[in-house]
Amino acid sequence: MSGQQRIALFIDGANLYATTKTLGFDIDYKRLLKEFQGRGSLVRAFYYTALVEDQEYSSIRPLIDWLDYNGYRVVTKPTKEFVDSAGRRKVKGNMDIELAIDALELSPFIDHMVLFSGDGDFRSLVEAMQRRGVRVSVVSTITTQPPMVADELRRQADEFLDLSQLASRIGRDPSDRQQRPAGEGNDRPRTQQQQQPRNGALESRYGIRQQGSDDEFDL
């Protein structure tokens, strides 16, 4: 990768979480940002995730707050609830459209798109970005069974980066993990001023550890 290229990161939060969980490590988002800042001029780093609106406390909120104040552009939307054919209530959160629109709008201003997702639905987006002269790297893994990346997405990408090989550079050191204080999960929503994270506390507690979930959940 050329040091002069303009890079943008597009992180499918739910997909990345599922992949790293399968690989058995946590992302250190501070290290991830530094890794790609060292590969060129980092124009934007987007992180996409859906949120359950009526939850009194969301375990992913500390991560989102930290990312928002530390170089990431966080894009969220409410999840949608539905009942499947078996009568089970589920919620679904899919950020594909938001990610695709941001990528296409930013395409005139970047040389290289780095997509953190293995979702085959992004193949058409990758092709569209390439037609606009943007090089596309896909970050996922083929080391699991089954692989976490769709074959059509991997074939379409200009470059495939396996997360298992990046783990030593962007993964969180397991020795840095700390237990959350008792009752922390019962915290009530805070004001915006209170939500502003204290970087040291969040870094030591989360590292920054993603605590999101996949696109679809049973209720």
Side-chain angles (χ1 to χ4, degrees), residues 17 21 26 29 47 49-67 76 79 172 180-181 183-190 195 197 202 205-214 217:
Y17 171 76
K21 184 177 180 181
D26 296 322
Y29 286 91
Y47 182 94
T49 189
L51 297 174
V52 180
E53 274 195 317
D54 59 355
Q55 280 188 346
E56 185 174 347
Y57 175 84
S58 173
S59 61
I60 197 175
R61 177 57 63 182
L63 169 67
I64 292 173
D65 287 344
W66 188 93
L67 294 174
T76 66
T79 56
R172 182 185 176 199
R180 294 172 65 185
E184 184 180 351
N186 297 321
D187 289 349
R188 295 186 177 274
R190 298 157 292 172
Q195 283 178 347
L202 279 174
R205 187 178 304 158
Y206 296 98
I208 295 301
R209 182 182 182 185
Q210 181 175 357
Q211 298 184 2
S213 48
D214 208 347
F217 316 90

Side-chain angles (χ1 to χ4, degrees), residues 2-164:
S2 167
Q4 300 302 313
Q5 67 181 341
R6 298 167 298 172
I7 305 172
L9 310 184
F10 295 84
I11 301 173
D12 178 349
N15 193 281
L16 180 59
Y17 171 76
T19 302
T20 55
K21 184 177 180 181
T22 302
L23 290 173
F25 77 95
D26 296 322
I27 295 288
D28 183 328
Y29 286 91
K30 186 175 183 179
R31 295 183 69 194
L32 186 153
L33 206 62
K34 287 184 177 180
E35 171 69 22
F36 286 92
Q37 285 172 337
R39 299 189 181 206
S41 174
L42 188 59
V43 177
R44 287 285 187 275
F46 291 96
Y47 182 94
Y48 300 84
T49 189
L51 297 174
V52 180
E53 274 195 317
D54 59 355
Q55 280 188 346
E56 185 174 347
Y57 175 84
S58 173
S59 61
I60 197 175
R61 177 57 63 182
L63 169 67
I64 292 173
D65 287 344
W66 188 93
L67 294 174
D68 233 354
Y69 285 100
N70 289 274
Y72 289 85
R73 184 73 56 87
V74 178
V75 182
T76 66
K77 75 175 181 182
T79 56
K80 293 184 177 180
E81 184 176 326
F82 67 99
V83 178
D84 67 10
S85 57
R88 293 172 299 188
R89 290 176 56 238
K90 295 180 177 243
V91 290
K92 186 170 182 67
N94 188 300
M95 302 292 295
D96 292 5
I97 295 298
E98 288 79 5
L99 191 156
I101 290 174
D102 286 342
L104 291 170
E105 287 185 342
L106 200 61
S107 62
F109 309 102
I110 61 174
D111 307 304
H112 190 170
M113 171 186 183
V114 183
L115 174 64
F116 287 78
S117 182
D119 190 341
D121 290 344
F122 286 123
R123 190 207 65 80
S124 295
L125 169 63
V126 171
E127 185 179 19
M129 294 294 285
Q130 291 167 333
R131 288 198 301 267
R132 289 162 170 76
V134 177
R135 179 179 175 82
V136 181
S137 293
V138 166
V139 184
S140 187
T141 189
I142 58 172
T143 62
T144 57
Q145 290 298 329
M148 296 296 289
V149 61
D151 186 63
E152 62 269 24
L153 179 63
R154 185 185 171 203
R155 287 174 180 269
Q156 186 66 49
D158 295 295
E159 180 182 18
F160 175 72
L161 302 174
D162 201 297
L163 265 175
S164 63

